Amino acid sequence: MSVFGFVGLGNMGRPMAENLIKAGHDVRGYDVVDAIREQAAAAGITIADSANDAADGADVLITMLPKGEHVRAVLLAQDGPLTRLKPGGLVLDCSSIDVATSRDVHAAATEAGLLVLDAPVSGGVGGATAGTLTFMVGGSEAALAAAQPALDAMGSRIFHVGGAGAGQAVKACNQMVVGASLAATAEAFVLAEQLGLTPQSVFDVLSTSSGNTWALHNFTPRPGLVEGSAADNGYQAKFAAALLAKDLGLALSAAESAGVELVVGSSAKAQFDKLVAHDGSLDSSAVVKVIEVKS
Ligand code: NAD
C-alpha cells in the first residue's frame, strides 16, 4: 500500500482516485471546488484541506488538472506540494498540458530530489471508471518503475514514449485525431439528416462500416443512440468542449514550432472554438450544434 495525494477530482480525477482506493492504496484528495470535494468525499475519498496537505508525507502526488496554468499554480508554487512529498517520492502529472510546462515540472521535481513523469491519458470517463485508461508516459525508467502500481490500478495500457514531455507530445497528436474525427462525425450526422436520414440509421451504418470511429461511440452527437452518452443528458460534459479546444490548440502550437501544417486540425479547432464561444462547458459532442445549415 502507498499513500497518494491526488489534486483535481473532476470528471477524470475522481474515478481514477477511486480505483487507487480499490487497489488498496490510501488516497488524500483535493479540489478547489467545494461541490467536487463533497462528491469525492461521498465516493469514499479522504479530503485534504489543500494541495500541500494532500502531498504531505505522501509517496506519490497525482495531478489531474484542466490546463498547464493550473498545473503550474499547483506544482510550481513556492513552498508548494513538491516540498511536502516523502523524500524521493513520485510526481505523476496526468493532466493534458503543453510540453514546456511539463518540462518545467520535470525540472522542478528533479531539483527537489523527486521522481517525475508526465502521464496524460486516453479513454475518457468510461476508461477512468473502468480502470482501463491508456497512459502516455514521458520520463525516466526509474520513475516509471515507481509509478507502475499506480498506473496498473488506473489503466490497462502504458506506453513509455520518451523523456520529459514526450507523453504530452503524443497526447497532443492523439487529441488532434479525436477532435478531427469527432467534428467529421458530427458533420456526417447533420448532412445525413438534411438528406432525409434518421440519426439511428447513420449510427447503424457508420458503426459497422469504414466510417466507424472511437468518437462515434464515446462522443455520439445525437441522443438515443449510445446508452449514457452526454447527448442523452443534455450534453452535460464528460469531456468539456473547452478542454478539447485547449488540446487542439496544444497540437497546433506544437505543429507551428515543428513547422508542420495541420489543415484538418486547424478546421477542427475552428469548430470547437465556435462551440466554446457558445458554451465551452458543454460536452465536446455538442459540436453538432454549431454546424451550419444554410436553408
Ligand atoms: P474537470 O474540469 O472535470 O476536472 C479538473 C478539476 O481540477 C476540476 O474539478 C477543478 O475544480 C480542479 N482544479 C482546477 N484548478 C485546481 C487547483 N488549483 N487545485 C485543485 N483543483 C483544481 O476536467 P477533466 O475532464 O477531469 O480533465 C482533467 C484533465 O484530463 C484535462 O487536462 C483534460 O484535458 C484531460 N482529459 C480529460 C478526459 C475526459 O474525457 N474528461 C480524457 C482524457 C484526458
Side-chain angles (χ1 to χ4, degrees):
M1 187 205 73
S2 299
V3 178
F4 286 79
F6 204 118
V7 181
L9 300 170
N11 285 324
M12 296 293 285
R14 190 184 73 206
M16 289 165 72
E18 285 180 55
N19 280 326
L20 290 169
I21 294 169
K22 278 188 207 145
H25 301 294
D26 182 4
V27 180
R28 297 183 308 228
Y30 176 69
D31 195 287
V32 275
V33 174
D34 293 348
I36 299 277
R37 286 200 302 273
E38 280 159 23
Q39 282 167 17
I45 298 166
T46 303
I47 300 300
D49 288 338
S50 64
N52 274 10
D53 267 2
D56 213 14
D59 301 294
V60 184
L61 177 66
I62 300 182
T63 40
M64 194 52 171
L65 297 163
K67 299 182 180 178
E69 69 210 53
H70 305 106
V71 172
R72 280 185 183 279
V74 171
L75 289 180
L76 303 182
Q78 187 90 34
D79 301 321
L82 298 189
T83 64
R84 298 294 197 93
L85 276 172
K86 203 171 110 178
L90 170 72
V91 179
L92 193 58
D93 178 35
C94 297
S95 329
S96 306
I97 62 166
D98 55 288
V99 172
T101 297
S102 185
R103 288 189 176 150
D104 287 350
V105 167
H106 274 262
T110 304
E111 169 92 26
L114 301 167
L115 295 167
V116 56
L117 292 177
D118 53 294
V121 304
S122 179
V125 173
T129 306
T132 56
L133 290 170
T134 295
F135 284 92
M136 307 161 207
V137 175
S140 68
E141 290 288 350
L144 180 60
Q148 200 71 45
L151 298 176
D152 288 343
M154 299 184 290
S156 55
R157 277 182 297 269
I158 300 156
F159 294 100
H160 187 200
V161 291
Q168 298 297 350
V170 74
K171 172 69 182 172
C173 296
N174 182 77
Q175 293 309 91
M176 207 253 301
V177 174
V178 79
S181 60
L182 170 53
T185 300
E187 285 185 356
F189 272 80
V190 173
L191 172 59
E193 287 158 20
Q194 290 305 306
L195 296 174
L197 289 135
T198 63
Q200 186 68 58
S201 50
V202 181
F203 181 83
D204 290 344
V205 172
L206 262 61
S207 62
T208 52
S209 303
S210 46
N212 195 17
T213 60
W214 190 91
L216 176 65
H217 298 271
N218 293 276
F219 291 115
T220 318
R222 293 295 191 208
L225 301 172
V226 170
E227 206 186 320
S229 70
D232 277 357
N233 195 16
Y235 297 97
Q236 191 181 316
K238 291 184 163 195
F239 182 44
L243 292 179
L244 186 50
K246 173 256 316 183
D247 289 345
L248 286 161
L250 294 177
L252 288 178
S253 36
E256 196 175 324
S257 61
V260 178
E261 188 187 16
L262 299 184
V263 176
V264 175
S266 304
S267 302
K269 170 96 167 46
Q271 288 296 68
F272 288 99
D273 284 348
K274 225 194 268 184
L275 176 56
V276 170
H278 168 65
D279 184 353
S281 71
L282 290 176
D283 191 66
S284 298
S285 56
V287 72
V288 71
K289 289 172 180 277
V290 300
I291 295 165
E292 283 178 33
V293 178
K294 296 176 183 115
S295 47

